[in-house]
Amino acid sequence: QVQLVESGGGLVQPGGSLRLSCAASRGTLDDYAIGWFRQAPGKEREGVSCIDSRDGTILYADSVKGRFAISRDNAKERVYLQMNTLKLEDTGVYYCAADPSFRACNGALQLQYDYFGQGTQVTVSS
């Protein structure tokens, strides 16, 4: 079992950047696909991006392609989400999640992950 902690959220103006970080407070990120999700007020949670270092898969939602980049630092046991050219509609609580299945990040962003962190708030506002 793994416990996840997100950090790096905050308030940013449109067009700005933030980098979110996901770390394991218990356990290890090894042998997991890692996904980033977000939930805006009044909306359902949506998948943003995922990475599976076991097979090199990286996926993005269409809404963030070209603006967000997911990466993994195995030495630091962290997964990052670099968010550039932020828009008002990127506002929400961002969660990282882990799942041991190869299906979690394969072909399309999946929503069912076994372990979720508590989330970090991202607010894009002028």
Side-chain angles (χ1 to χ4, degrees):
Q1 186 172 353
V2 63
Q3 288 187 341
L4 304 171
V5 178
E6 304 92 340
S7 61
L11 173 65
V12 64
Q13 293 185 338
S17 297
L18 283 174
R19 188 178 78 159
L20 305 183
S21 177
C22 175
S25 61
R26 187 175 76 181
T28 175
L29 298 183
D30 291 347
D31 298 324
Y32 290 98
I34 304 298
W36 282 99
F37 299 79
R38 67 186 180 189
Q39 188 165 17
K43 294 187 177 181
E44 294 187 353
R45 186 165 57 195
E46 63 174 339
V48 175
S49 182
C50 65
I51 184 169
D52 194 337
S53 298
R54 296 170 297 181
D55 63 9
T57 300
I58 291 178
L59 299 174
Y60 296 100
D62 288 343
S63 59
V64 306
K65 281 181 181 176
R67 300 189 298 121
F68 290 12
I70 192 170
S71 62
R72 182 167 183 154
D73 186 331
N74 288 328
K76 294 184 178 179
E77 281 273 323
R78 290 180 181 267
V79 173
Y80 301 101
L81 185 68
Q82 178 67 43
M83 307 187 296
N84 300 323
T85 319
L86 283 160
K87 303 177 180 180
L88 297 176
E89 53 265 39
D90 293 320
T91 294
V93 179
Y94 282 69
Y95 303 87
C96 71
D99 194 280
S101 171
F102 281 93
R103 293 188 299 274
C105 185
N106 185 0
L109 290 170
Q110 305 297 326
L111 296 179
Q112 299 300 322
Y113 273 56
D114 281 356
Y115 307 105
F116 278 82
Q118 292 300 306
T120 185
Q121 176 71 44
V122 171
T123 303
V124 184
S125 175
S126 55

